[in-house]
Amino acid sequence: MITAKFGGTSLCDAQQFRAVQRIIESDARRRFIVVSAPGKRSEDDVKITDLLIACYNAAREGGDVAAAFRPVRARFEEIIAQLSLSLDLSQEFTATVWAMESGVGSAFCLSRGEYFSARIMAALLGRPFVDPVHFVFFNGQGAFDPEIAEHSLGERLRELDCAVLPGFYGAMPDGTVHTFARGGSDISGAIVARASGSEIYENWTDVPGVLAADPRIVPNPRLVDVMTYDEVRELSYLGANVLHPDAILPAKRAGIPIHIRNTMDPDSPGTWIVEKTDRPGSLITSVAGRRGYSSIQVEKDTANAEVGYCRKILSCLEKHGISFEHLATGIGSTAVIVPTQEVRASAEALKRSIESTVHPDSLEITDGLAMITVVGREMVGKAKAAVRLFDAISGAGIPVRLIDQGTRELNIVVGVDEQYFSAGMNAVYQAFFGEEA
Ligand code: ASP
């Protein structure tokens, strides 16, 4: 049994709905289908979810909600008409505008893209529609509750032979709609795969699979055929935009392999994400990276004699709601690496708070750092990857600002000045995947 999730670009218009229908119907094992809201049809188009955010904003500011909803309605009506479906959603569209005008929450507004998308797909396939608002629950703090979902959704899906479900949302304990973070239909797909007892979770998207580097930075990177859940988690957290990071845990816990596939090229092999593989990989699986980091450098000569010193610095970050990504320490120096956008608004207040908490000799926040990361299961216990990585970086004449290796040896992170980011990514990619590698 397969649960197949289709992303927004895969469902951007009627033609794409038909292409998705062909994919689903070409394999009878594809019984449970999870859909996103229609995405962009071209570079300058707007995603349905973004149009719905505009509807919510119009409602909140007392603007014209019906006018803001018009392009949403038009997109869905066009899809229905071009698919020649007898489905009539006009009353529901009107009721949605009323609900928005009467001040319904933002989550309800945002979730309607997935809702209508799934209603149309269910009609097209002739399969039952299952609304996650009755089966996927968040707790009072808004955290997803896997136990209840597994039980209640599992029970419902076992009653059905097949179904179509909207991704992205569920309900709070009081029954009101609540959404995952943006891109969260990936998470819904994993939840449905687990609750239905599927053997495979297919995630259909608009790229060939996981690539060994970001194609916007490294030209024509190779496709990764198989990788582990842990590798893909490292990659997602480090900037590779493959799959929502929170989608991996439900699949990992249930031991369901994830198969990333390309709707535009359904015969291509895609990428398998599994618990373990005997397949010998390259020394590294992928290079990832991101610009936009800041370093909070705290110097104090007597820091090493002060028990709880790092904790005190980190508690200041916690107080300002800033999560850190790397921590590098020397005898009297501590550098905390954070995404610049997290620290920008509160930099001065954060500085004051660190100053009054640990009384450092000096304190500085510098922007303009980029992180380059290599990820790979084959690195464990071998020095070869580190040697090749630093050889590549120094060969390109790039000074290293920071080094961090996870203790599971699945990744090595190198911090460089942003101006060297692209050159560094390319040098590292060539060192591991280029012709001489
Ligand atoms: N439609 C939502 C978004 O644009 C969720 C998703 O597509 O996964 O973020």
Side-chain angles (χ1 to χ4, degrees):
M1 188 187 345
I2 296 174
T3 291
K5 179 259 164 181
F6 293 86
T9 326
S10 304
L11 296 162
C12 66
D13 58 19
Q15 217 181 330
Q16 282 300 125
F17 267 74
R18 280 259 183 253
V20 165
Q21 178 188 21
R22 277 195 295 276
I23 291 171
I24 295 168
E25 292 177 348
S26 68
D27 189 335
R29 294 176 304 164
R30 295 191 178 113
R31 287 172 40 192
F32 296 104
I33 309 302
V34 177
V35 295
S36 280
K40 290 182 178 194
R41 293 161 292 188
S42 61
E43 216 17 70
D44 47 12
D45 197 12
V46 186
K47 286 172 116 183
I48 287 284
T49 310
D50 292 322
L51 292 173
L52 290 165
I53 293 177
C55 295
Y56 172 70
N57 289 337
R60 206 186 38 178
E61 290 152 14
D64 189 343
V65 179
F69 191 73
R70 218 163 282 139
V72 176
R73 183 176 179 150
R75 281 276 296 274
F76 283 120
E77 282 181 340
E78 186 182 272
I79 294 173
I80 294 170
Q82 291 182 354
L83 292 173
S84 312
L85 295 172
S86 56
L87 181 69
D88 180 5
L89 293 174
S90 50
Q91 282 187 1
E92 292 208 39
F93 289 138
T94 309
T96 302
V97 173
W98 286 343
M100 288 173 170
E101 282 169 342
S102 64
V104 76
S106 66
F108 174 86
C109 300
L110 264 71
S111 71
R112 293 306 88 186
E114 271 68 15
Y115 173 81
F116 289 120
S117 186
R119 289 289 307 276
I120 296 173
M121 186 54 82
L124 182 64
L125 299 173
R127 295 189 181 194
F129 166 85
V130 173
D131 195 335
V133 82
H134 305 301
F135 305 102
V136 172
F137 294 105
F138 296 84
N139 67 21
Q141 283 72 48
F144 167 64
D145 191 328
E147 300 313 316
I148 303 185
E150 175 139 19
H151 182 73
S152 59
L153 185 61
E155 207 160 88
R156 177 73 186 119
L157 297 181
R158 274 190 293 279
E159 291 165 7
L160 298 165
D161 185 47
C162 57
V164 177
L165 298 93
F168 193 37
Y169 71 91
M172 292 296 276
D174 65 1
T176 54
V177 169
H178 191 72
T179 57
F180 290 103
R182 293 296 303 265
S185 296
D186 284 343
I187 311 171
S188 309
I191 292 166
V192 171
R194 188 175 178 187
S196 63
S198 289
E199 280 103 26
I200 298 172
Y201 170 28
E202 284 182 343
N203 191 290
W204 290 84
T205 156
D206 57 345
V207 293
V210 181
L211 298 173
D214 184 339
R216 288 166 304 183
I217 301 163
V218 175
N220 302 318
R222 64 157 83 167
L223 180 72
V224 179
D225 55 355
V226 56
M227 62 197 304
T228 63
Y229 297 120
D230 290 338
E231 285 177 301
V232 84
R233 282 185 81 202
E234 292 285 354
L235 276 180
S236 317
Y237 282 106
L238 292 162
N241 193 7
V242 188
L243 188 71
H244 195 290
D246 296 345
I248 298 152
L249 270 189
K252 179 178 153 102
R253 290 212 177 105
I256 304 169
I258 304 172
H259 193 185
I260 311 278
R261 306 197 62 174
N262 188 355
T263 310
M264 323 301 159
D265 186 7
D267 297 325
S268 65
T271 300
W272 283 96
I273 301 170
V274 296
E275 174 66 39
K276 264 200 181 92
T277 168
D278 296 336
R279 181 129 174 202
S282 359
L283 187 52
I284 66 160
T285 304
S286 187
V287 188
R290 236 189 326 209
R291 294 186 177 86
Y293 285 94
S294 298
S295 166
I296 306 166
Q297 279 151 272
V298 195
E299 309 280 334
K300 187 174 183 183
D301 275 345
T302 55
N304 63 318
E306 217 178 289
V307 177
Y309 178 77
C310 273
R311 180 190 52 75
K312 287 181 205 159
I313 296 176
L314 295 178
S315 72
C316 299
L317 272 87
E318 189 180 349
K319 210 162 67 196
H320 288 87
I322 299 167
S323 67
F324 76 98
E325 295 210 0
H326 305 280
L327 181 67
T329 56
I331 192 83
S333 70
T334 307
V336 189
I337 310 298
V338 296
T340 305
Q341 59 175 20
E342 289 231 6
V343 80
R344 190 166 278 140
S346 52
E348 285 313 310
L350 176 68
K351 269 182 161 175
R352 280 196 299 277
S353 146
I354 295 176
E355 263 153 11
S356 62
T357 310
V358 295
H359 310 290
D361 301 332
S362 72
L363 168 60
E364 212 183 332
I365 301 184
T366 43
D367 298 346
L369 264 185
M371 297 293 156
I372 298 176
T373 308
V374 293
V375 172
R377 62 189 178 278
E378 301 281 335
M379 296 195 304
V380 181
K382 298 176 197 152
K384 245 180 9 197
V387 172
R388 208 181 282 183
L389 169 66
F390 290 108
D391 225 27
I393 301 260
S394 77
I398 300 173
V400 171
R401 297 278 305 274
L402 171 116
I403 302 167
D404 189 3
Q405 181 185 267
T407 49
R408 292 164 77 201
E409 296 177 62
L410 270 177
N411 72 331
I412 307 172
V413 182
V414 179
V416 299
D417 287 333
E418 274 182 345
Q419 70 201 85
Y420 299 118
F421 178 63
S422 182
M425 289 283 289
N426 277 284
V428 173
Y429 181 86
Q430 286 308 325
F432 286 96
F433 299 109
E435 263 159 30
E436 294 93 68

